Every structure is written in C-alpha cells, then in structure tokens.
Amino acid sequence: MKLLKSPLAITFAVSLLLLIGVGSWLLTDPATSRSEALKTGGLAGGAVVALYALWLNDRRRRVEERRQEIERQRHELEMRRTEQDRERISDERFAKAIELMGNDADQVRVGAMHALAGVARSRTDYTQTVLDVLCSYLHRPFTHPQQGDEDAPRTAGNAELERELQVRLTAQRLIVGLLPKAGDAEAPSYDLDLTGAVLEYFDLRGHKVGDLLLRYAKLCNSTNLSDCEITGRAYFTAAATETGRLSGRFYCQRTKFHEQAWFSGTEFQADADFEGTTFDGEANFKGAVFHGDFSMKDAEFGDSLNLRQTQFDGHTDLAFASPPKSVDLYNTLVDADRTHELPHGWQIETLRDGRSRLTLPT
C-alpha cells in the first residue's frame, strides 16, 4: 500500500494513463498513424516523468540546503562554545597570575608575570590590562641595591633587593615585548603609566606607545626611547636620572611625539640626546636641568618650545632642522665656558652674578 501511494508510483500511473489516453485519442483520427500516436503519447507520459524528476531534484536541493544550514549552525555553536572555554581558561589564568603576583618568592612572581604576558598574547583584549598590572608592580616602592656607598658590605637585605631587581627587570622586558613596533599604523597604541616607578636600563627602542606617563620616575643607568612613536601624551614631569653608579644617558633620538611632550622639572645627570626627534605638539622643558651634554640637533617642531628656567651645564646643540612656531626663554641658563650650537640670532648674555643665559633676537 505504501508503494502504491508513493509519488513515484503515482507518476508512473499518470504517465501510463497519458500514454494510453493520448494515443487512443489520436488513433480516432484516420490521418494519424499508429506509430505517430504512440510517439506522441510517449512524449506526454515522458513529460510527466520529467516534471517529477525536476520536483525530486528541487526537493533534494532544499534538503541539502537545510542540512548545510543545520551544519553551519552546529559549527557556529561549537565555535562559540570553544571561544567561551578559551575565555574562561584565560580568565582563570589571569586571576591565578594576579594572585601569585603577591607571593613572597621572587621566582613565583616572575612566573606569574610570564603567565600574564601569555594571556595577553593569546587574547589581545587583555593586553592593556596586563600592561597596567605590570606597570603597577613597578610603582611599588623600591630602593636600588647599588644605591649608596659602593664599598658597603653585601648584606641579606641587599641580596633580597637584588632578587627584587631581577623581578622588576622581567616586568620591564615583558612590557616592551607586548608593545607593537613603531610605524605599524594598524597596530593599537597601548598606554604606559609608570608614574613614580624605579626603572633600570629601560629600553623602548623602536616601539609604539600611546600615552607615556613617567612623572616622578627614577631612571637608573641608561634609558633609551630612540626611534619610538608616541601617539599620545608624554609626561616626564619631575622625572630624574640617578646619580653616581646609577647615572646613565638618556637617548631619545629620532623619536616622534604626536602630541605634547612635557619634560618640565626633569633632571638629567648625564647626557641627554634628542637628535632628529620630532615634536608635533608642544615641547615643554620648563625648569629642566641638564647636567651633561644636551643635543636637539636636527629636531623638528610642529608647535611651541618652552625653555623657561631650563639649565644647561654641558655642551648644547640647538641646531634645529625645523624651528618651533614660538620659543619661550626666561632665565634659560648655560655654561659660557662650553661650546653651544644655537639657532640664528640666539645669543648668550652674561648676568651680573656671572651666570649666562640664552636670549632671543629683539
């Protein structure tokens, strides 16, 4: 019974009826031969079979489309489930690493930092958060083990500071490793807040940064920001390079500051080199002190330059490639016994107390 009710059986029955019906009707006409009547009846029956084949093919196509849609939805569901599992694992790794950052053992803290960096590499939406955590660790109070008397005996306290220094150096390296390269227009700009941090051999060469905050930071040994691209604000207000054994140069060659760069109140114990640097925004060095040589040779400016109450104790090179739109000089002190490369028209004026200052042409 099921076979008789199937579309295929019905199609063949209708085809056979058409074959018989059309053939018989044509045979009533004496002008039509038996073969012609049979051929025409066969075409009529075959048309029905062809229509059935088209319907069957369309049905198969729709079934296949529904199957593919179900498969696509299943795949999307699996992908979402996998992504949720990955996010859950990352969240758990992040939470565990944060917990271990407060461990007393220095090797555990180092491992926690590497775990955080791994989370940031696997999930870029965590990168800024991980950078904030690493920067906050460097905010912690710290006395450099080499600070003080060079001949002081090594104590257990100094050994502990040495281990803490290695942890902090790890944090610095991981911070730099998470930053994109300078010149990569498609890469995001991540902010670094290192306000009050104690940094040693801080090397950001060739990297891209958003906001760079180094207010009141202590820079031990050499600091290198050469070839960096700083797309946000840069604040070095009241930062200082260290003295004695921790003294080091400040390199900022060919760096590009897209917005304001404030070095007001900054104190550089050794040489500071800004050769070829570009300042698109305001460059503020008000009250800065340069105990070593200072160079802004071939520097380019897109806005103003503030040198009010700035002090240059060493050789000074201010041979700009592109001068600032305006310059503010007031008690800008220099050592008259040193050599100075100055822009056209700038002069050195001797004060009554024997000091010398820079003046602009009147």
Side-chain angles (χ1 to χ4, degrees):
M1 293 297 294
K2 290 183 179 180
L3 181 61
L4 293 176
K5 292 181 180 180
S6 68
L8 181 61
I10 295 173
T11 300
F12 277 115
V14 172
S15 176
L16 182 60
L17 289 175
L18 283 175
L19 173 63
I20 297 173
V22 171
S24 300
W25 177 69
L26 290 176
L27 287 175
T28 59
D29 185 2
T32 304
S33 65
R34 183 175 298 178
S35 61
E36 288 295 329
L38 184 61
K39 183 186 298 182
T40 304
L43 289 175
V48 174
V49 175
L51 288 174
Y52 172 75
L54 289 174
W55 172 82
L56 185 61
N57 185 63
D58 181 67
R59 183 181 178 185
R60 288 175 178 172
R61 179 185 60 80
R62 284 181 292 175
V63 170
E64 180 63 22
E65 288 178 351
R66 285 197 296 269
R67 188 192 65 78
Q68 291 179 358
E69 178 64 19
I70 293 173
E71 183 67 21
R72 184 186 64 82
Q73 293 176 355
R74 187 185 65 80
H75 179 70
E76 290 180 355
L77 182 61
E78 290 180 354
M79 290 293 292
R80 285 197 298 268
R81 187 178 300 153
T82 302
E83 180 64 20
Q84 289 173 354
D85 290 341
R86 190 168 70 92
E87 291 178 358
R88 178 182 55 79
I89 293 173
S90 297
D91 293 342
E92 292 175 353
R93 289 176 60 196
F94 179 82
K96 185 63 176 178
I98 292 295
E99 180 182 348
L100 294 176
M101 288 282 285
N103 194 283
D104 293 336
D106 55 293
Q107 64 269 26
V108 174
R109 297 197 299 275
V110 169
M113 290 179 180
H114 280 284
L116 286 174
V119 171
R121 294 189 186 98
S122 62
R123 286 185 58 187
T124 55
D125 55 315
Y126 258 110
T127 302
Q128 184 61 66
T129 303
V130 171
L131 287 172
D132 291 342
V133 172
L134 294 176
C135 288
S136 68
Y137 186 89
L138 296 174
H139 290 170
R140 297 171 58 175
F142 175 68
T143 300
H144 198 286
Q146 294 183 9
Q147 198 166 22
D149 187 2
E150 186 173 358
D151 298 327
R154 186 180 180 87
T155 64
N158 284 339
E160 183 178 350
L161 289 176
E162 288 283 0
R163 291 193 295 271
E164 174 61 16
L165 176 60
Q166 296 305 313
V167 178
R168 299 174 72 88
L169 290 174
T170 299
Q172 289 182 196
R173 287 193 297 269
L174 293 175
I175 287 172
V176 176
L178 292 175
L179 296 175
K181 294 295 184 181
D184 188 349
E186 297 182 357
S189 297
Y190 297 112
D191 302 332
L192 297 182
D193 185 357
L194 292 164
T195 301
V198 179
L199 307 173
E200 180 172 37
Y201 291 113
F202 192 49
D203 191 347
L204 283 179
R205 277 179 300 174
H207 287 85
K208 180 180 180 181
V209 185
D211 289 344
L212 179 58
L213 307 181
L214 280 162
R215 296 186 182 101
Y216 306 102
K218 294 182 179 180
L219 307 177
C220 304
N221 296 304
S222 297
T223 301
N224 200 333
L225 304 181
S226 297
D227 300 305
C228 281
E229 181 182 7
I230 303 175
T231 61
R233 303 162 300 167
Y235 288 106
F236 295 78
T237 309
T241 59
E242 288 291 357
T243 59
R245 293 177 299 168
L246 299 178
S247 177
R249 295 186 177 186
F250 185 87
Y251 298 97
C252 196
Q253 301 168 328
R254 300 171 301 279
T255 301
K256 186 175 181 63
F257 293 93
H258 288 265
E259 297 186 20
Q260 64 263 40
W262 282 43
F263 291 82
S264 54
T266 306
E267 186 171 7
F268 297 89
Q269 299 296 335
D271 298 347
D273 193 347
F274 291 83
E275 182 176 344
T277 293
T278 300
F279 298 91
D280 288 338
E282 178 186 0
N284 191 332
F285 289 83
K286 179 181 178 181
V289 179
F290 298 91
H291 294 292
D293 296 340
F294 175 79
S295 175
M296 269 193 179
K297 181 181 179 181
D298 296 329
E300 298 182 1
F301 295 85
D303 207 322
S304 61
L305 172 62
N306 190 337
L307 293 176
R308 291 175 64 88
Q309 299 177 324
T310 306
Q311 178 179 330
F312 299 100
D313 294 340
H315 302 286
T316 306
D317 190 343
L318 300 177
F320 309 136
S322 175
K325 294 180 179 179
S326 63
V327 178
D328 192 355
L329 297 182
Y330 175 77
N331 282 345
T332 306
L333 303 178
V334 296
D335 187 345
D337 295 331
R338 302 297 184 98
T339 58
H340 305 285
E341 296 291 335
L342 303 177
H344 178 71
W346 289 32
Q347 296 178 350
I348 298 178
E349 176 186 356
T350 302
L351 302 175
R352 293 180 180 179
D353 58 6
R355 297 182 302 169
S356 301
R357 69 179 182 181
L358 295 178
T359 60
L360 297 172
T362 56

